[in-house]
Every structure is written in structure tokens, then in C-alpha cells.
């Protein structure tokens, strides 16, 4: 009986400390959107430069409400983390550093690098990987459908 009370008091104390600690893992961001998807600016300057370079020319194929939501979420997240507005382009080009597109819209030079993976990911899965494209390496996010793109972002 006494052991049970001690365990209950200890557990209650642990919960109170965790809630009141202000630790990010327990909700330092205290309201709304930031409770779910809080984006902190990257403080490591070298990593920040690498991420800014990797996202300097993003082609995002979007059509419809689901992929527009994914586009907007990516834009919000990158803006907050990288302290600048992402540069989205309307077409894949030789300067693209990131391509986000469904399988049906992938460039003929990119598709063979991931084609054998689409059956395994199903309707809601996604693929994120670096792939060779026009003599350099880019980041690719692709999926069979809109939900996969949303989940990947």
C-alpha cells in the first residue's frame, strides 16, 4: 500500500516537472500550430548554408488542394528554418536543386533511378533520395499520388 502511494506521488511529480520544465519535447511552443509543427531556425551556420543551397531552386509539381497544402507547408517550414523565402520554379531546369513531383510527372532522366520502388510504397508512401540529374546530384521527393507528396513534405 505504501509502495503504491510512493509510486503514485513519484509519477505525479515526474509529470508536473515535465509539464513545467519548458523543454521543447514537452511543448515549449505553447500555442496552436507550433505545438504540432514548430520550425526553429537552424543555428549551425555551416548546416544552414548547406540547406539553403540544397533548396535554392525547388521544382514543386502541384495540382489540386492536397499538393497545394504540401507546397504551402514546405514553404512555411523552409522559410522559418532557413530564414529566407524558398525559391520555387515553374519547371524543372538545369539549376533545379530539388524536385518534388508525382511519378507521372517525373523527368524521363530521373524516373529510371526510382522506378522499381513505386510498387513498394503504395498510394500513401513516398521516396526521398538524392539522384543524379544532368551531371549533378539533386534531392528528389516523389510518390504515386498527392497524399504521398503531402506525407513526404
Amino acid at each position: 500500500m505504501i509502495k503504491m502511494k510512493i509510486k503514485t506521488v513519484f509519477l505525479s511529480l515526474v509529470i508536473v516537472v515535465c509539464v513545467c520544465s519548458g523543454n521543447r519535447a514537452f511543448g515549449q511552443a505553447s500555442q496552436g500550430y507550433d505545438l504540432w509543427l514548430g520550425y526553429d531556425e537552424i543555428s549551425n551556420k555551416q548546416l544552414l548554408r548547406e540547406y539553403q543551397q540544397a533548396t535554392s531552386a525547388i521544382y514543386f509539381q502541384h495540382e489540386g488542394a492536397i499538393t497545394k497544402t504540401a507546397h504551402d507547408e514546405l514553404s512555411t517550414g523552409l522559410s522559418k528554418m532557413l530564414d529566407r523565402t524558398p525559391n520555387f520554379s515553374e519547371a524543372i531546369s538545369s539549376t533545379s536543386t530539388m524536385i518534388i513531383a508525382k511519378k507521372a510527372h517525373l523527368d524521363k532522366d530521373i524516373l529510371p533511378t526510382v522506378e522499381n520502388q513505386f510498387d513498394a510504397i503504395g498510394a500513401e508512401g513516398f521516396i526521398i533520395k538524392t539522384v543524379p540529374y544532368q551531371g549533378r546530384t539533386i534531392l528528389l521527393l516523389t510518390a504515386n499520388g498527392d497524399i504521398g507528396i503531402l506525407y513526404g513534405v
Side-chain angles (χ1 to χ4, degrees):
M1 184 74 153
I2 293 176
K3 284 186 177 183
M4 181 68 110
K5 284 185 179 181
I6 291 172
K7 285 182 180 180
T8 302
V9 170
F10 180 73
L11 181 59
S12 297
L13 182 59
V14 168
I15 291 171
V16 169
V17 169
C18 289
V19 168
C20 295
S21 71
N23 187 318
R24 178 79 175 161
F26 295 101
Q28 183 180 21
S30 60
Q31 294 187 20
Y33 182 84
D34 286 335
L35 284 171
W36 182 247
L37 292 171
Y39 300 106
D40 293 332
E41 185 175 339
I42 295 170
S43 58
N44 179 310
K45 297 302 179 193
Q46 180 181 348
L47 189 59
L48 178 63
R49 281 189 302 275
E50 288 174 19
Y51 285 178
Q52 286 173 335
Q53 176 58 37
T55 59
S56 62
I58 304 169
Y59 169 71
F60 196 125
Q61 175 268 322
H62 58 91
E63 54 194 19
I66 294 172
T67 52
K68 180 176 181 342
T69 298
H71 178 276
D72 293 348
E73 187 60 41
L74 182 65
S75 182
T76 297
L78 289 177
S79 293
K80 289 181 177 183
M81 292 187 320
L82 305 180
D83 194 31
R84 72 175 192 195
T85 303
N87 181 25
F88 290 100
S89 61
E90 295 296 318
I92 298 173
S93 74
S94 62
T95 62
S96 295
T97 57
M98 181 185 294
I99 295 175
I100 302 171
K102 292 185 292 188
K103 175 185 178 182
H105 296 280
L106 287 180
D107 184 282
K108 65 178 174 44
D109 294 331
I110 295 173
L111 185 58
T113 65
V114 292
E115 193 165 26
N116 64 346
Q117 298 173 41
F118 284 100
D119 287 341
I121 63 170
E124 296 183 353
F126 56 90
I127 299 165
I128 299 177
K129 66 185 297 182
T130 55
V131 296
Y133 182 66
Q134 296 185 351
R136 56 197 172 72
T137 302
I138 62 160
L139 183 62
L140 173 68
L141 189 160
T142 187
N144 286 310
D146 294 350
I147 295 295
I149 295 293
L150 177 65
Y151 291 166
V153 166

